[in-house]
Amino acid sequence: MFVILKDLFKYDKRFAFGFSVILILLFLSILSFFSPYNPVLWSLVPKNLPPSLKHILGTNSMGQDIFWNITHAIKNSILLGSLTAVISITIGTFVGLVAGYRGGSVDRALMSINDSFIVLPSLPILILLSTMLKERLTIAVIAVILSLFSWPWGGRQVRAIVLSLREREFTYTAFFSGMGTLKTVLKEHLPFVIPWVMANFINTILWAIGMETTLAIFGLSSLETPTIGTTIYWANQYQALLRGIWWWILTPVIIAVFLFLSLYLLSVSISEFLDPRTRLQRMRMEEVST
Amino acid sequence: MNLLKRYILPRLIQYFIVIFIGITIVFLAPRFIPLDPVISVINRITAYGAQYMDPEALEKLTETLKELYGLKGSIFEQYIKFWKRLFRGDFGPSLTIFPTPVISIIKNSLPWTAGLLIIAALLSWSIGNILGGLAGYFSNKKWAKVLSVIAMVIYPIPYYIMALILIILFAYVFPIFPIVGGYSIGINPSFSFIFSLIKHAFLPALALVIVGIGWWFLSMRSLTSTITSEDYVVYAETMGIPKNKVLFQYVMKNSMLPQITNLALQIGGIFSGSLVTEYVFSYPGIGQVLYMAINNGDFNLLMGIVTFSILGIATAALLIDLLYPLFDPRVRYR
Amino acid sequence: MSILKVENLKAYYIATLYGIKRSVRAVDNVSLDIEENEIFGIAGESGCGKSTLLKVIVGLIKPPLSLIGGMVLYNSGKDYISPFLLSLEEFNKIRWSFISYIPQGSMNVLNPTRKINRTFWDVIKTHGSEEEKKNLKTITEEHIKALGLPLEVLNSYPHQLSGGMRQRVTMALATILKPKIIVADEPTTALDVVVQRGVLQLLERIQEIYQNTLIIVTHDMAVHANIAHRIAIMYAGKIVEVGKTRDIFKNPKHPYTKYLINSLPKIGDKSIRESAPGAPPSLLNPPSGCRFHPRCPKVMDICKLEVPKLAEIDSGHSVACFLFTKEVEEV
Ligand SMILES: Nc1ncnc2c1ncn2[C@@H]1O[C@H](COP(=O)(O)OP(=O)(O)OP(=O)(O)O)[C@@H](O)[C@H]1O
Ligand code: SF4
Ligand SMILES: [Mg+2]
């Protein structure tokens, strides 16, 4: 595993970039635990100060230090994304495994539900749900409602993998040796599915953070919790752009762009690495080097 | 006949399943949420502008709301009623612009959104696919690599962030375009009206198109590079058929096909994007109305918009799917 | 006078992945002389480099395949020309009108979204004379009729045809401009026996009608016995024996050829067929000396050190084996 990461880092520039940026962002989010300011409180520092040595990214109109605030925002956004990914991948993997393994009408029913969620316009429905939950929105609640629309992509993928794995011998061996369905699924298929789940995990984080940002601009997020989305929301509420407090709006926008880009590059390079064609080449290559 | 049975029928069934699931979510949303939506709405309205409403209207409103959220009769009866109202296009009155029916508000803003959406989708689809196809076919060329890097940077940016970036750029760095509104007020509907419209729709459309091109470019590029190594393309090249013909008739023609299906799948996402950009640029479409509905707690309007979105997107996706056989002979003749 | 010459040809697959470079020596020092109007067979087990050799012969070299050395020469009537030295434009002129190629797995070489006659017209428009371009419809139809294929295929899409029919259509496509040389890679593999016979008959028919040279690759020795005039046996990227079909079958010299011939079922013979022991060698890291030595029952000391050269031991019968020659190939 470590060797793979090292190789990817060395030979795939996209991976190297994505990985480095993510490490930096993770570092920033860990830094939030040492933040001298409580992110929920206002008027802790003088308002609207441009970047300076004391406040390296300046302060906002609510009297908060933007640098320390953004460390919390990064942490919360990544947390939200990961939580959504865990929930939706659990659902997606389960549905995909069952559909792929059971086949027949179970498969058809599950997949047509799956596809429906892909076609349905997610934003309006998410807006409806979060408007109704407005007072109770927390990171966890948002993660749950976002999962409603992020499980199907993984579901389809896992199903496709299971279908190709099913053709392999060990399924029949397992079947004839009397292993139960669930046990077969867990023991025989999961190890093959896990690498794909990883790529999907990153994609879901990406999607979830983007969606939270989008909901936040409509004011439909946990507005007291700093996230990348709510930071932009407050900056807009105070018309940071019009009033020339560019450091307030620019900071979350730039962080967002880097976060999205690096997550995307990671997922691209991982899925390329998992591509059966390059995998085969790599296997041949290992033959040579041994 | 075969086409109908193997292709069209499954898609029609899927269409009804999509609508069924979508509408059911809309129906269940207010019931499964631990707040009483009626009370919370009434509270909001009284907080905002009770002085405009006499007790009788309030009574009527409570009734409407109860009916709408399915608080009368058994859940099954409510569900049936919900569908019946939907077929009549009856979403009740808007609470913000009381008592204008929700349906007429939607009707007013729908064309704006539809226009923006269609133009943005078509533009980004065709530009993204052509560029992506070229970059996939000539993947060793320098310009192809540069384009790919650009697309890779643009694609993961959400529509909203892209819109913000455009605002920052165009409003402050190069102030050419108005950043708000559908058309300048006080202009007669004439040539200059259209011109003004284009000018105002330009930035929202641009945000949609830029992000869209990123997506279509990247997916088309990878499709094309797969197709380029297909036996029939390699053979066409072996036969010495001119590069242009190979590119368009052998490669692109085949790699465009999955992109038609992808358009059907992505149209919901593009719609979501257009809602956001509309709001950011104060373009007078559904996105704007949606924002108003959220801000004022106008649940009738919100439900109406969500329902319409579901119907509209599912229908658009179905239409695209139904057009597909025109382009793929493998589906047409079986 | 030979119509096609291959001289000391070397072509390797070279690829770099995650920083490690590797090369597969798929064609390693191959020389051949192919006569006009003959059916020349190339045999050998899977992975020995047959397809690669054909690709290089028809000038289809693109990464990861790269030409390391040697030459391919076509006899244009006046003089010898090499596809490697022509500009793309010049090369395009001789493709299909001088040499054409039916690739392995040719059932899938037809564009799924293009009507068959369109593809024929594409070929004529690319390589045909002005005269041919003007009559492309009639030329196509006549050709299809001459080969005994139903005319309806022209108006179909590939998926509407059976695998065998697609294979035949591809052959018709390769021969539409009556090339001097047709190169066919495994034209019968993956088809069932009855269809195989039809395809072979079609190939013979084409050769009869147009009097051209046919180079046919297959690992199926029975096909060679049926149609080839001369056969080359390929092993691990090298030609180990060349001779008339009769000589190869009646009097095989190379130990590997003997295995190939012996593995053919014979009528009335119930003894168990023996095939070469061991596995085919890796072309990433081929064995030293004679590449067959790890599997050869007659291996000698020299075989592990030196590479035997392909040398004529009878008229028109050459072998690369130290049992018959002392000549050593320079590396
Ligand atoms: N694109 C490629 N990259 C790397 N190695 C390759 C590539 N194509 C073929 N090879 C290797 O080159 C060798 C020769 O392949 P080739 O296709 O010429 O064999 P063949 O004799 O035609 O086999 P078959 O009977 O299976 O068609 C094989 O070992 C194969 O693994
Ligand atoms: S050269 Fe030696 S190893 Fe090779 S085939 Fe002849 S006897 Fe066998
Ligand atoms: Mg081959």
Side-chain angles (χ1 to χ4, degrees), chain B residues 29-73:
Chain B
R31 307 183 49 85
F32 270 81
I33 277 157
L35 311 167
D36 183 339
V38 175
I39 295 188
S40 92
V41 168
I42 302 279
N43 282 348
R44 261 184 233 222
I45 290 174
T46 38
Y48 275 105
Q51 59 267 46
Y52 300 118
M53 231 184 277
D54 54 80
E56 208 173 295
L58 200 66
E59 181 86 351
K60 204 174 147 225
L61 178 63
T62 315
E63 284 302 296
T64 327
L65 286 174
K66 275 190 177 169
E67 209 173 297
L68 189 70
Y69 300 145
L71 298 169
K72 274 175 159 181

Side-chain angles (χ1 to χ4, degrees), chain A residues 51-79:
Chain A
S52 65
L53 277 180
K54 191 145 181 276
H55 304 284
I56 49 175
L57 294 175
T59 63
N60 63 24
S61 307
M62 291 136 78
Q64 295 170 320
D65 180 283
I66 290 175
F67 173 77
W68 290 106
N69 224 42
I70 205 79
T71 59
H72 285 282
I74 297 169
K75 178 193 70 192
N76 289 329
S77 282
I78 291 179
L79 193 70

Side-chain angles (χ1 to χ4, degrees), chain C residues 254-255 290 292-293 296 298 300 303 308 321-323:
Chain C
H254 196 280
C290 169
F292 190 55
H293 86 253
C296 181
K298 303 214 172 125
M300 299 168 289
C303 308
C321 169
F322 288 127
L323 293 174

Side-chain angles (χ1 to χ4, degrees), chain C residues 234-275:
Chain C
M234 200 169 177
Y235 184 82
K238 289 178 166 298
I239 302 287
V240 294
E241 186 163 1
V242 187
K244 298 205 183 70
T245 307
R246 249 188 96 78
D247 293 343
I248 296 280
F249 277 88
K250 285 268 142 69
N251 190 12
K253 297 287 188 213
H254 196 280
Y256 176 67
T257 315
K258 286 186 181 152
Y259 275 119
L260 279 184
I261 306 296
N262 280 337
S263 65
L264 269 179
K266 292 190 189 78
I267 300 161
D269 181 356
K270 296 240 164 63
S271 65
I272 295 166
R273 311 260 64 92
E274 49 175 340
S275 58

Side-chain angles (χ1 to χ4, degrees), chain B residues 140 228-243 245-246 248-254 257 327-334, chain C residues 58 60 62-63 92 95-96 100-105 108-115 118-119 121-123 125-127 157 159-160 170 173-174:
Chain B
N140 288 324
T228 303
S229 57
E230 289 279 338
D231 289 344
Y232 56 85
V233 176
V234 176
Y235 197 55
E237 282 170 348
T238 311
M239 291 192 281
I241 292 175
K243 271 216 163 257
K245 196 178 244 171
V246 175
F248 290 107
Q249 298 294 340
Y250 289 75
V251 177
M252 293 273 244
K253 202 169 166 193
N254 286 289
L257 292 176
F327 302 100
D328 192 344
R330 280 165 300 186
V331 179
R332 221 176 330 144
Y333 311 103
R334 249 219 248 257
Chain C
V58 295
L60 253 192
K62 61 179 202 182
N92 264 338
R95 269 199 259 198
W96 253 250
S100 72
Y101 168 61
I102 305 166
Q104 190 166 1
N108 308 319
V109 302
L110 298 167
N111 185 346
T113 53
R114 202 158 176 79
K115 277 194 178 155
R118 286 290 192 148
T119 308
W121 300 346
D122 287 345
V123 173
K125 277 186 210 155
T126 314
H127 303 289
Y157 287 97
H159 72 276
Q160 295 171 287
T170 313
L173 191 61

